[in-house]
Amino acid sequence: MANKRGPTSLAHKLLRAFLQQSSSSTSTGSGSISQTNTNAQYCSTNSKLQNSPPISMETFQSQSQKTMVVDVEGWLLKSPSAFPYFMVVALEAGGGGLLRGFLLLLLYPFICLLWNEMGMRIMVMVTFCGLRKQSVARVGRAILPKHLSENVSLQGFDMLKRGHSHGHGRVVCVSSMPRVMVEAFLREYLGLEDVLGTELEEFMGFYTGFLHGERERCKVLELKKAFKDGAVGFSSSSFAQSKLPFSYCKELLLVEKEEKRWNTLPRKRYLKPLIFHDGRLAFRPTPLNTLTMFLWLPFGFILALVRLTISLSLPYKLSTPVLAMTNMKWRLLVQTTGNESGGNPSNVSEDNNSKTNHQRGQLFVCNHRTLIDPIYISVAINRPVQAVCYSLSRVSEILSPISTVRLTRDREEDAMIMGKLLDRGESVVVCPEGTTCREPYLLRFSPLFTELSDEVVPVAVNVKTSMFYATTAGGWKCFDSLYYLMNASMCYEVQFLDKIDTSDVRARKYSNTDMANQVQRKIGKALGFQCTMLTRKDKYMMLAENDGIVGRS
């Protein structure tokens, strides 16, 4: 058994093959990875690893029938701590989230003293007891992939991908966290089918907080049969001893915790782009960050009320500098590259200034980051606008400082509603994506807006927040404004682009879909976002398994 606990020849060869190519690859993350530096980071108890000659790719591929057993916390993730992911479940899965999360934070010092199976059992009990199975599954599918993907190590991922691409008989991921927390991420975003994690007891659709040991043992025995041709384990020296599947590995490669200074996997290297995710936390909930959040909440709530009062009671010219003193800022960007100089809000205002001139209203088309997008367009042009929207909670509608108009999702009726507003000389803001998107992507633009006016003004908007997201797909939408205003700092960026002539669409000389795609590309280029053909239905079916109609007020 002693031979199984150290990195042996095959594991060395796999690592050397990886190093042989990574040393000549281009730099990613914080810099290029030289072979000498990476050898220092990959720890081995065998000093012959650095002196052994490199092997050819043919030799590497000849080992393709070996099963790879990968430790999620010990190898794949940069930080092995599972606390942030349990905190995400505690706060986001409902069932007294803040109280549950606060209790988990209070118990963290005690859990550190028992950082073994007993500590894990305590975290499972506090986090999962009384939660609906369906709610936890949604967190694992829609919220945790964001936090997990930001902690994947570049070196660990490259080794995993290399073994997978060269036809290894099987790749098994082993995690000490409950399987419901990691399975969706590993399957959907890393393409791994075999996931072995802690199983949970459940009763009538609720988790009890206890572990289901028998179900896990059956899975381990099933995998033991798959290891008959040999298995190579990849783990950390502090984790491998505590995970049963690694005792069946004939060869084991370990990395020391102190020397695991690996880079984060860049977004461009994701096997599947992370376009949609849910949840309110815009930060990684480590113990220190979580403590900061709980200390901030009382002050944040008071500050949100102050900001709201200022926004509703003062004109834009006065409220903007006052709100900036509370770290609630916005910036007007001017595009200076190429032939486009960017739209000037004062010029936009002069083109269509008042209803008394009997001019038709101006149509502003913007991407959708939060429900506050139209407000900042109104601030930038210093006049009221009409914001048309599909789904808006009653609370948000009451608190809005600008007029909102609900659409019906009936194409002819919606066109008539917006046409009447424009005919009255109103400035209308429309978000043709139909829903918000947090990541640097643009969803498909609905082409209806191209048929409403002879010209449109594209507006590129972006927002940065420090603590909370102001959008949700599966939560309570009526709190969107509150979460935005509770951020310690936030900054909106607004950029007016050159007008686009859409008269050919109204004259039936140009496709409305092609025109909508043109506007989408123009806004995407200004923001540096990638355009997609995904729709609001795709988002809500993935994150909330519904069509996105607001049912809560």
Side-chain angles (χ1 to χ4, degrees):
M1 180 65 70
N3 292 334
K4 295 182 181 180
R5 306 313 301 171
T8 56
S9 59
L10 176 58
H12 293 170
K13 292 178 180 180
L14 292 172
L15 181 58
R16 294 291 292 181
F18 165 67
L19 295 177
Q20 188 177 14
Q21 179 162 334
S22 65
S23 62
S24 60
S25 62
T26 58
S27 63
T28 49
S30 60
S32 60
I33 308 168
S34 67
Q35 185 168 343
T36 302
N37 291 339
T38 312
N39 276 335
Q41 292 171 359
Y42 287 97
C43 180
S44 169
T45 57
N46 188 344
S47 60
K48 296 180 180 180
L49 173 60
Q50 296 184 8
N51 300 323
S52 60
I55 66 173
S56 64
M57 293 306 297
E58 290 77 9
T59 306
F60 177 83
Q61 294 178 26
S62 67
Q63 309 292 344
S64 61
Q65 295 305 314
K66 297 293 184 179
T67 298
M68 293 179 65
V69 183
V70 180
D71 189 344
V72 174
E73 294 84 9
W75 184 271
L76 188 59
L77 300 181
K78 280 187 60 180
S79 171
S81 174
F83 176 86
Y85 313 116
F86 279 93
M87 181 59 68
V88 169
V89 176
L91 293 175
E92 303 282 7
L98 286 177
L99 292 177
R100 190 185 297 269
F102 187 66
L103 177 60
L104 182 61
L105 180 65
L106 290 178
L107 292 175
Y108 177 71
F110 180 65
I111 292 172
C112 289
L113 298 177
L114 302 173
W115 197 254
N116 48 28
E117 184 179 356
M118 180 58 67
M120 181 63 67
R121 287 178 179 272
I122 293 175
M123 284 203 297
V124 170
M125 172 61 71
V126 174
T127 303
F128 285 90
C129 182
L131 290 182
R132 290 182 179 272
K133 182 180 179 181
Q134 184 179 3
S135 299
V136 175
R138 192 190 73 85
V139 173
R141 182 185 68 253
I143 301 177
L144 279 173
K146 164 71 172 179
H147 297 274
L148 287 166
S149 62
E150 292 178 343
N151 193 32
V152 174
S153 66
L154 174 62
Q155 290 86 343
F157 173 81
D158 277 343
M159 178 66 82
L160 176 63
K161 183 180 178 182
R162 179 165 301 281
H164 198 40
S165 62
H166 285 292
H168 274 258
R170 199 171 186 179
V171 179
V172 179
C173 285
V174 180
S175 175
S176 57
M177 291 184 283
R179 181 170 56 87
V180 69
M181 292 175 60
V182 298
E183 185 174 32
F185 168 69
L186 294 174
R187 287 178 180 267
E188 292 294 326
Y189 294 93
L190 297 186
L192 303 172
E193 295 297 327
D194 290 313
V195 180
L196 179 61
T198 305
E199 301 291 343
L200 303 177
E201 292 276 6
E202 56 185 80
F203 178 73
M204 297 182 67
F206 291 84
Y207 286 115
T208 63
F210 295 102
L211 304 184
H212 197 305
E214 185 62 31
R215 191 182 303 168
E216 184 177 350
R217 282 192 292 270
C218 292
K219 181 66 174 179
V220 171
L221 293 176
E222 177 187 339
L223 292 176
K224 182 181 178 181
K225 297 178 182 178
F227 295 168
K228 61 182 179 180
D229 294 328
V232 183
F234 298 86
S235 182
S236 167
S237 57
S238 58
F239 277 83
Q241 300 288 345
S242 62
K243 296 183 179 180
L244 182 61
F246 289 102
S247 63
Y248 301 127
C249 296
K250 293 184 178 180
E251 300 169 279
L252 187 61
L253 180 62
L254 302 178
V255 59
E256 291 290 347
K257 179 180 178 181
E258 295 77 12
E259 299 190 21
K260 191 180 176 183
R261 296 183 294 271
W262 292 357
N263 300 325
T264 303
L265 182 69
R267 176 184 291 272
K268 63 182 180 181
R269 294 286 307 276
Y270 291 178
L271 293 181
K272 177 182 177 181
L274 183 67
I275 301 177
F276 300 130
H277 62 88
D278 205 6
R280 294 293 190 179
L281 299 182
F283 62 95
R284 177 176 168 80
T286 60
L288 180 59
N289 290 343
T290 305
L291 176 62
T292 303
M293 182 198 72
F294 277 108
L295 293 175
W296 170 255
L297 282 177
F299 301 100
F301 182 76
I302 297 174
L303 181 60
L305 296 180
V306 172
R307 286 169 169 170
L308 180 62
T309 302
I310 294 173
S311 300
L312 295 177
S313 59
L314 297 179
Y316 294 147
K317 290 185 177 181
L318 293 179
S319 63
T320 295
V322 174
L323 290 174
M325 291 188 292
T326 70
N327 243 358
M328 183 177 174
K329 304 175 182 178
W330 75 277
R331 294 191 300 169
L332 180 64
L333 303 182
V334 178
Q335 189 172 358
T336 58
T337 59
N339 295 325
E340 297 178 0
S341 60
N344 187 334
S346 60
N347 292 338
V348 170
S349 181
E350 289 172 1
D351 287 343
N352 191 6
N353 191 33
S354 68
K355 307 173 189 178
T356 59
N357 295 331
H358 303 290
Q359 296 175 334
R360 203 161 190 269
Q362 186 76 63
L363 180 61
F364 297 92
V365 179
C366 72
N367 61 302
H368 204 6
R369 302 300 276 178
T370 75
L371 55 81
I372 307 175
D373 298 336
I375 297 177
Y376 280 97
I377 294 177
S378 178
V379 173
I381 64 177
N382 196 29
R383 72 166 184 261
V385 299
Q386 297 281 342
V388 294
C389 53
Y390 288 104
S391 296
L392 187 68
S393 71
R394 182 59 179 166
V395 173
S396 299
E397 195 172 6
I398 294 173
L399 296 178
S400 175
I402 62 175
S403 301
T404 59
V405 178
R406 285 181 176 269
L407 300 180
T408 63
R409 292 193 177 89
D410 180 271
R411 183 180 179 83
E412 293 183 0
E413 187 172 350
D414 291 342
M416 182 178 64
I417 292 174
M418 289 186 281
K420 287 182 177 179
L421 293 175
L422 292 171
D423 290 338
R424 283 171 16 203
E426 302 281 1
S427 297
V428 177
V429 178
V430 60
C431 302
E433 288 176 288
T435 186
T436 58
C437 184
R438 298 172 174 178
E439 296 301 310
Y441 297 92
L442 295 183
L443 307 187
R444 182 181 70 85
F445 277 26
S446 174
L448 178 59
F449 73 91
T450 64
E451 306 172 8
L452 302 176
S453 179
D454 289 336
E455 62 180 17
V456 299
V457 179
V459 187
V461 298
N462 201 5
V463 62
K464 299 175 183 177
T465 58
S466 60
M467 192 169 291
F468 303 112
Y469 287 115
T471 62
T472 182
W476 294 82
K477 291 181 179 292
C478 58
F479 294 134
D480 285 354
S481 300
L482 177 63
Y483 275 105
Y484 178 76
L485 295 172
M486 284 179 61
N487 278 288
S489 64
M490 58 281 222
C491 182
Y492 243 95
E493 297 176 347
V494 182
Q495 183 176 0
F496 291 86
L497 307 178
D498 290 339
K499 297 177 183 178
I500 294 182
D501 186 355
T502 57
S503 58
D504 286 346
V505 175
R506 304 188 76 192
R508 308 289 183 179
K509 296 179 181 180
Y510 196 79
S511 168
N512 60 356
T513 301
D514 291 341
M515 182 61 70
N517 293 339
Q518 179 182 335
V519 176
Q520 182 198 39
R521 288 192 298 268
K522 190 180 184 75
I523 294 177
K525 181 180 179 181
L527 292 169
F529 289 2
Q530 183 176 341
C531 298
T532 74
M533 293 305 292
L534 297 173
T535 66
R536 62 181 304 279
K537 184 176 181 181
D538 296 322
K539 170 188 171 179
Y540 278 95
M541 289 304 299
M542 175 183 174
L543 300 183
E545 296 184 337
N546 60 47
D547 60 0
I549 299 176
V550 176
R552 294 172 176 172
S553 59

